[in-house]
Amino acid sequence: PAFLQKKAPPAIHAMSDLVFWGRRDAMAVVASTWEHIDYFEKPLGGAGRPLLATRPTAVTPTLRSVLSLPPFEDWTLYLKIGHINVPDMGSKRKVMYKAYHTPKGLPLAHSGMVENLRAARAAGWEWIDPLASRPGAPNVTAMVRCAGVGHRKPCGGAVDGQFITERDFVWWALLNNVSVCDLGAETAAVLHKGRLVARRAYNGCARSLPGA
């Protein structure tokens, strides 16, 4: 595949946190996630980001990742990328859901992420850090938000100070300039919990982005 060539931007293919594959340099970043879990769980002299609202956005790898995903209504076997911060450039296409319920209207959130990321990129923003804001920098927001608390604990996507695998392994890759694209490999179905489940996949990873 073209994205495995050295000149291509670093990227991996993934099906949530269940299976992922890619070029050696990109896989090295993913393999380093465990040793950096404290980044997500507790402050490390100011370097840790346990609060979701304080986490930066890497605009281009996030946009490339979002564009790589096929349309889906149920994200069980797809990236939980909707929980990751994007620049707030005015798109109102957010999706709210309750704890332990599958979000509805995910294609709407997908469109909102693309709109915000494209607008930020067009405005010249590549890295947006809420704790090191520059003049005119947009705020960050997540386009899929959890509303309410489950009977045991809050929605995983909304938890501060805790490493949530499906959300944060993607976030760690993006923060290190690694795009996280759909599973690819001509996938049409996967064996999930003992059942063969149809799963649409996009094979292309890095869509063409002007200037990227």
Side-chain angles (χ1 to χ4, degrees):
F3 93 100
L4 289 178
Q5 299 175 7
K6 286 188 176 181
K7 65 181 180 181
I12 62 169
H13 277 300
M15 183 178 74
S16 187
D17 60 333
L18 302 175
V19 59
F20 40 90
W21 60 278
R23 204 169 64 196
R24 189 182 297 270
D25 58 344
M27 292 296 286
V29 171
V30 176
S32 75
T33 305
W34 172 254
E35 61 192 88
H36 292 97
I37 281 181
D38 280 351
Y39 176 88
F40 300 95
E41 297 198 338
K42 59 186 178 182
L44 296 175
R49 299 295 177 92
L51 301 180
L52 302 183
T54 68
R55 294 186 187 170
T57 295
V59 175
T60 293
T62 305
L63 177 57
R64 191 175 280 119
S65 302
V66 174
L67 288 175
S68 84
L69 295 174
F72 56 86
E73 289 285 352
D74 182 340
W75 66 5
T76 302
L77 298 177
Y78 292 90
L79 300 179
K80 309 302 187 288
I81 202 166
H83 283 148
I84 290 172
N85 290 342
V86 296
D88 188 352
M89 302 297 288
S91 175
K92 304 301 181 185
R93 300 174 186 268
K94 294 185 178 182
V95 169
M96 304 294 289
Y97 73 103
K98 294 182 180 180
Y100 304 102
H101 290 75
T102 298
K104 303 296 183 183
L106 287 172
L108 182 70
H110 179 277
S111 298
M113 293 186 78
V114 171
E115 289 176 2
N116 280 328
L117 289 161
R118 279 182 168 158
R121 197 164 183 270
W125 295 105
E126 285 291 346
W127 179 263
I128 300 167
D129 186 345
L131 297 188
S133 182
R134 291 180 288 158
N139 294 323
V140 296
T141 186
M143 303 308 286
V144 179
R145 307 291 295 271
C146 179
V149 178
H151 63 283
R152 290 173 292 173
K153 58 183 180 180
C155 304
V159 172
D160 284 314
Q162 182 178 339
F163 181 81
I164 305 297
T165 309
E166 291 180 294
R167 176 193 70 197
D168 293 335
F169 106 92
V170 175
W171 216 326
W172 181 249
L174 296 175
L175 293 179
N176 286 278
N177 197 39
V178 174
S179 298
V180 185
C181 302
D182 193 47
L183 184 60
E186 305 290 339
T187 303
V190 296
L191 190 64
H192 180 62
K193 297 184 177 180
R195 295 186 302 112
L196 188 65
V197 180
R199 182 196 184 280
R200 184 181 179 187
Y202 276 173
N203 295 315
C205 187
R207 299 284 190 89
S208 177
L209 296 176

